[in-house]
Amino acid sequence: MPSAPSQIRSAFGRMVSLGPSRVDHIPAFRISLGLAIPMVVLLLTDHVTWAMFVGFGAFTGIYSKYEPTRMRFRRQAFAGAMLTLCVTLGAALSHLGESLGTTVESWMLLLVGALVAGAAATVVLARGLKPGGAIFPLFAVAAVGAAPPAAPIWVAFLVAGASASLCVVLGLLGHWAGECHPGADVRPSTETWSRAQLGAEFSRFAIAAAIAGVLGLASGLPFPYWAQIAAIALLTAPGRTLQVERGLHRILGTTLGVVTTAFLLSFPAEPWQLVVWIVVLQFLAEMYVMRNYAFALLFITPLALLMVQLGHPQPVGPTLQARVLETAIGAVVGIAVVVVAALWDRRAAKHATAESTAAYPEVPTEPSGS
């Protein structure tokens, strides 16, 4: 078993080094193109307030990197439908919130966000989608739901669906463009999950999102869903040690990413300039997200903030401060959920061992030669 200093050195090494490169520029270009085209359409038609509908639909392209064309088509089509439904649900919550008090609306968004996190993570696990988890579905529901209504619900559905469909079409061209890698896992998922395992996945994500959301709301900060997203982001890493590491990476990377965002928003910018930055940041995020998560957050954080800022402008200073604080709250909650789950599993294993020993005690043998 490796010593604690050795584990710390390994964790630090993973934080400051880049993983091996694949043909990252090809899927990064495909994904950023799937975002750029509908964003340009919004600019040309003077509907930039629909930017979040487009952005969350375009997250469809992130799914199923490096996979064969047919597999990518099936999985991206499913992911696109899921994200479109999440955007539509968010739009419906936004309209419903107009008739509710602020407190009721906040609790409604928190509860729905937690349920969406659990349900989406469970579906993604059962379908074998990559990336795993529920960051994008939760982000779509919560961000759209928290913003004032930008369009009728049916418009949100059509815009997000069109953006997702474009990404599916671009995904069909990805393999032809060379989006493959001999080291990538391109086999269809053969794992089957029991109801207990799927239930545990739902519980992990829903509970983490609920607790983080409650703490974020109690803190008085303006965007409790950022705490929810930070809490579930680390749960997708393989193994509890890497999950804790990812939580620390999330805090560090987000803090540095906020500095990047502050620079980009430190001077007046036209909507078309923000769109350019969003597309460039999307490309850079996809170039590095599989090689170093903390480093990729230098681009992911301003990407998310600029996309929300484009559709729902907010005061810059308080927004950036809230992003750091709520990310810290969520990451701590996520790490706590991981630790408690590990202790629970250890206790359950000891209990099972004790029951087994009690049920099948060792039978003493007669000494030979008696």
Side-chain angles (χ1 to χ4, degrees):
M1 183 175 180
S3 63
S6 175
Q7 290 178 328
I8 293 174
R9 285 195 298 269
S10 298
F12 181 76
R14 285 190 289 270
M15 180 178 288
V16 299
S17 62
L18 291 177
S21 174
R22 297 181 175 181
V23 285
D24 301 294
H25 61 288
I26 295 178
F29 178 78
R30 170 180 60 79
I31 292 167
S32 57
L33 183 64
L35 178 62
I37 292 173
M39 282 290 192
V40 169
V41 172
L42 293 187
L43 286 173
L44 294 176
T45 58
D46 197 24
H47 286 106
V48 74
T49 54
W50 299 352
M52 283 196 286
F53 305 156
V54 160
F56 293 124
F59 283 155
T60 299
I62 296 174
Y63 288 89
S64 207
K65 279 185 179 180
Y66 305 111
E67 294 179 345
T69 304
R70 290 183 181 179
M71 184 187 299
R72 181 183 299 135
F73 175 76
R74 291 194 302 270
R75 291 183 172 180
Q76 285 191 340
F78 183 86
M82 177 176 64
L83 291 172
T84 300
L85 289 176
C86 288
V87 169
T88 307
L89 175 59
L93 293 174
S94 176
H95 281 271
L96 179 60
E98 292 289 286
S99 61
L100 302 174
T102 303
T103 301
V104 175
E105 180 186 9
S106 298
W107 281 102
M108 175 186 67
L109 288 172
L110 190 156
L111 176 61
V112 173
L115 293 175
V116 167
T122 304
V123 170
V124 165
L125 178 65
R127 301 281 301 202
L129 297 182
K130 302 295 180 184
I135 292 179
F136 304 124
L138 172 57
F139 193 12
V141 169
V144 175
I153 298 172
W154 65 268
V155 171
F157 173 79
L158 291 179
V159 172
S163 180
S165 299
L166 172 64
C167 291
V168 173
V169 172
L170 292 175
L172 292 173
L173 305 176
H175 193 75
W176 172 81
E179 186 179 340
C180 58
H181 189 272
D185 182 8
V186 296
R187 295 170 298 173
S189 177
T190 57
E191 294 176 299
T192 56
W193 306 96
S194 67
R195 289 186 178 181
Q197 289 172 315
L198 294 176
E201 186 79 351
F202 177 91
S203 299
R204 282 197 315 141
F205 279 81
I207 290 172
I211 295 174
V214 169
L215 293 179
L217 190 59
S219 70
L221 295 169
F223 304 102
Y225 69 85
W226 284 345
Q228 292 183 296
I229 292 170
I232 68 169
L234 60 91
L235 299 180
T236 60
R240 292 193 171 111
T241 299
L242 292 180
Q243 288 171 0
V244 172
E245 281 186 28
R246 176 161 289 191
L248 299 177
H249 289 193
R250 185 86 185 183
I251 296 173
L252 175 62
T254 297
T255 303
L256 296 177
V258 161
V259 175
T260 306
T261 311
F263 169 74
L264 294 177
L265 294 177
S266 62
F267 48 87
E270 296 293 328
W272 70 266
Q273 293 170 311
L274 292 181
V275 167
V276 170
W277 280 121
I278 287 170
V279 173
V280 170
L281 289 166
Q282 179 74 80
F283 178 83
L284 293 173
E286 295 307 319
M287 282 287 292
Y288 293 103
V289 69
M290 297 182 70
R291 302 179 64 190
N292 186 306
Y293 184 67
F295 182 69
L297 282 165
L298 287 172
F299 313 114
I300 294 172
T301 300
L303 166 65
L305 288 170
L306 291 182
M307 191 168 70
V308 173
Q309 190 75 2
L310 190 61
H312 181 210
Q314 296 288 313
V316 175
T319 298
L320 299 184
Q321 182 183 27
R323 177 72 176 199
V324 174
L325 295 176
E326 290 178 8
T327 295
I329 291 171
V332 170
V333 169
I335 292 172
V337 168
V338 171
V339 172
V340 169
L343 295 175
W344 180 273
D345 288 349
R346 186 177 301 175
R347 179 181 177 184
K350 288 183 178 180
H351 184 67
T353 301
E355 285 187 342
S356 177
T357 303
Y360 302 100
E362 292 186 7
V363 179
T365 57
E366 292 289 338
S368 59
S370 59

